[in-house]
Amino acid sequence: MALTKADFAERLFDELGLNKREAKEMVELFFEEIKGSLENGEQVKISGFGKFELRDKNSRPGRNPKTGEEIPITARRVVTFRSGQKLKARVEAYAGAE
Amino acid sequence: MTKSELIEALARQQPHLAQKDVELAVKCIIEKMNQALSSGERIEIRGFGSFSLHERPPRMGRNPKTGDSVALAKKYVPHFKPGKELRDRVDESRGKCKIID
């Protein structure tokens, strides 16, 4: 089961004693603030987690993989995430459960 | 934007909370994300995106100093896939503002 906003809100309720409404609002605002920053062209660096970077891509030739038809991929701005050292090290240590 | 700027922005929007509590909340959310990913759990935030792990197969590497071969075990790396809303909002801003650090 994937973690969702509700799980984060519950954690804030349990651990910090925010009430349910405050906890829910905090989680909403947290992700909205990061989106807003990226939308303003500002990259976001969260120490202990990682960095959300922006990249402008030029247009390039592409293909519909099903039909083989050539269609140009338009120029666009994209978000990429680079995990920080701490998160990388913790994830690397994960042995895999499946 | 850095973590401390994020905390300040969130504190401004929630004047009923003490700045200290906002700081604890941000750290709590980040720690929960780290814990989830390091135990192999996915994170899905609608409109923002999802975080998951990608597997890197085992491979032979080299010690760049000595040139010796070393066997590297399979490992996992964090991966982020932006959600549709974030993708669209960021792409629409392309013509309006430059990318700043």
Side-chain angles (χ1 to χ4, degrees), chain B residues 5-86:
Chain B
E5 288 165 343
L6 174 62
I7 292 167
E8 281 167 28
L10 293 174
R12 274 197 301 277
Q13 292 169 67
Q14 297 165 101
H16 53 288
L17 298 179
Q19 166 119 6
K20 188 76 205 152
D21 288 336
V22 177
E23 188 178 335
L24 288 173
V26 165
K27 290 185 171 159
C28 180
I29 294 171
I30 293 167
E31 179 52 25
K32 177 87 179 158
M33 290 203 281
N34 280 333
Q35 275 174 12
L37 288 170
S38 45
S39 58
E41 200 176 0
R42 280 173 64 83
I43 304 169
E44 282 178 16
I45 309 294
R46 180 162 295 263
F48 184 78
S50 60
F51 296 88
S52 59
L53 298 188
H54 278 189
E55 190 185 315
R56 293 278 177 269
R59 63 187 177 93
M60 291 305 287
R62 271 182 197 286
N63 180 332
K65 263 199 194 124
T66 62
D68 294 345
S69 293
V70 257
L72 297 172
K74 157 176 113 171
K75 68 168 186 177
Y76 291 88
V77 293
H79 177 75
F80 174 64
K81 181 167 188 274
K84 178 160 170 43
E85 187 203 327
L86 176 59

Side-chain angles (χ1 to χ4, degrees), chain A residues 32-92:
Chain A
E32 181 51 40
E33 191 60 34
I34 296 175
K35 280 192 276 192
S37 177
L38 292 169
E39 188 179 23
N40 288 326
E42 211 185 319
Q43 319 200 65
V44 178
K45 188 177 176 186
I46 301 187
S47 70
F49 185 63
K51 188 173 174 194
F52 295 94
E53 298 182 330
L54 294 166
R55 227 169 259 178
D56 283 329
K57 305 273 217 178
N58 291 325
S59 71
R60 59 192 168 92
R63 241 174 227 294
N64 178 330
K66 269 204 191 113
T67 63
E69 184 193 0
E70 252 189 67
I71 14 172
I73 297 171
T74 53
R76 60 192 63 188
R77 178 172 289 179
V78 298
V79 181
T80 60
F81 174 71
R82 287 167 60 129
S83 49
Q85 284 307 318
K86 192 178 125 195
L87 175 59
K88 253 189 218 160
R90 282 175 73 173
V91 163
E92 221 170 290

